[in-house]
Amino acid sequence: AAAVVMDVATREVLAAVSYPTYSIAEYGQKYEELLRETRLMPLKARAIQVSYPPGSTCKVIAALGALSDGVVQLNTHFECTGYLLPNNRNRFRCWIYNQHSLTHGPQSIEDAIRNSCNIYFFRAGEKLGAARLCQWFEAFGLGRAAGTGLIEEAPGVVPDETWLRTYAKRRFQRGDEWNWSIGQGEVNATPLQVANVVATIASGEWRPVVLAREPDGAALGGRRALPLGPVRQDARCQRQRRF
């Protein structure tokens, strides 16, 4: 497990916890044993070094991206029937349908965030498209270091066309935007990055995190803040596949 607490205004990390951990007093004595533990990985600082599928935390990025690009409005409603594909009800389902065989019914974007409705965000991701969704992930700081200045920091994964060609040997395909809009599939982020996503929404700009400071008080690895404005649409986005 991992947890991060961050000051929204300054982006100072107030707490970054990783579990399981180890006793500093026994670190030298038990180093080899800790190193061999590859399942629980106590030597990993999970909040910073390990990236995970971010799950429903990605829905707020998809929501803001869809609103900003005008592909949905505050009063746009999508019907949650519990599943996305009428001919295949076993895939791309809403969590409430999985757990209780229920549906959310008509959902506005406010409803969908409150209920964490998968179906709404499948539709929003579909309207954005896979390439554009990746650009919004990048705008929120995914796929790059958050600015700690530590060489151990994991950048996470934004599975844009270049990443897919390099690591998955494929291009965008149907279902990518559905998976990624709810934080599944290839997209990965560290707990630190996810905390900064929420701080970015709260403040209106992406800022590098401050984990430690130099002796002169300067932030270690300090990078400049970036206003959260319209995201550039380049030729790659215009060429994305539509289904």
Side-chain angles (χ1 to χ4, degrees):
V4 175
V5 179
M6 183 182 297
D7 185 291
V8 170
T10 66
R11 303 303 161 87
E12 291 189 86
V13 177
L14 306 179
V17 180
S18 181
Y19 183 84
T21 185
Y22 54 86
S23 168
I24 293 294
E26 298 177 332
Y27 173 74
Q29 177 185 353
K30 294 189 173 182
Y31 177 73
E32 293 298 330
E33 178 185 340
L34 293 169
L35 192 63
R36 288 193 299 270
E37 178 51 84
T38 56
R39 184 174 71 88
L40 298 178
M41 298 188 299
L43 292 178
K44 288 282 189 181
R46 284 176 166 79
I48 297 168
Q49 284 185 275
V50 184
S51 59
Y52 306 91
S56 292
T57 59
C58 270
K59 291 175 181 177
V60 292
I61 302 178
L64 189 56
L67 284 171
S68 298
D69 283 2
V71 297
V72 302
Q73 308 296 327
L74 289 174
N75 61 354
T76 299
H77 285 71
F78 295 116
E79 180 79 19
C80 174
T81 59
Y83 47 85
L84 180 67
L85 306 173
N87 297 327
N88 189 347
R89 299 185 182 186
N90 294 320
R91 301 183 65 204
F92 299 107
R93 304 197 297 187
C94 193
W95 68 267
I96 197 171
Y97 188 80
N98 281 339
Q99 294 183 17
H100 307 293
S101 298
L102 300 174
T103 69
H104 287 122
Q107 297 285 285
S108 68
I109 197 163
E110 183 179 349
D111 297 329
I113 291 173
R114 181 174 58 250
N115 295 324
S116 195
C117 178
N118 290 355
I119 304 303
Y120 186 99
F121 291 101
F122 290 152
R123 294 300 186 192
E126 187 175 62
K127 287 183 173 294
L128 276 170
R132 188 64 175 153
L133 192 56
C134 285
Q135 290 181 324
W136 277 106
F137 289 155
E138 291 167 353
F140 276 90
L142 305 190
R144 65 175 187 265
T148 66
L150 301 178
I151 61 172
E152 297 89 351
E153 185 185 344
V157 172
V158 172
D160 62 11
E161 196 168 33
T162 300
W163 189 94
L164 287 174
R165 282 201 307 265
T166 303
Y167 297 102
K169 309 303 180 187
R170 68 173 180 86
R171 302 182 66 183
F172 293 128
Q173 63 187 25
R174 187 181 188 188
D176 284 342
E177 58 267 50
W178 299 336
N179 272 321
W180 301 342
S181 66
I182 64 166
Q184 301 298 330
E186 293 84 357
V187 59
N188 267 250
T190 65
L192 182 69
Q193 288 174 317
V194 172
N196 206 17
V197 165
V198 179
T200 297
I201 292 172
S203 67
E205 65 177 359
W206 181 89
R207 296 178 64 89
V209 302
V210 180
L211 186 66
R213 294 189 179 275
E214 303 283 4
D216 63 1
L220 182 66
R223 298 172 60 181
R224 65 186 181 89
L226 298 174
L228 188 60
V231 178
R232 177 176 58 90
Q233 296 196 53
D234 58 18
R236 180 184 63 191
C237 178
Q238 301 300 328
R239 293 196 303 269
Q240 67 184 285
R241 295 176 65 186
R242 293 288 184 180
F243 301 92

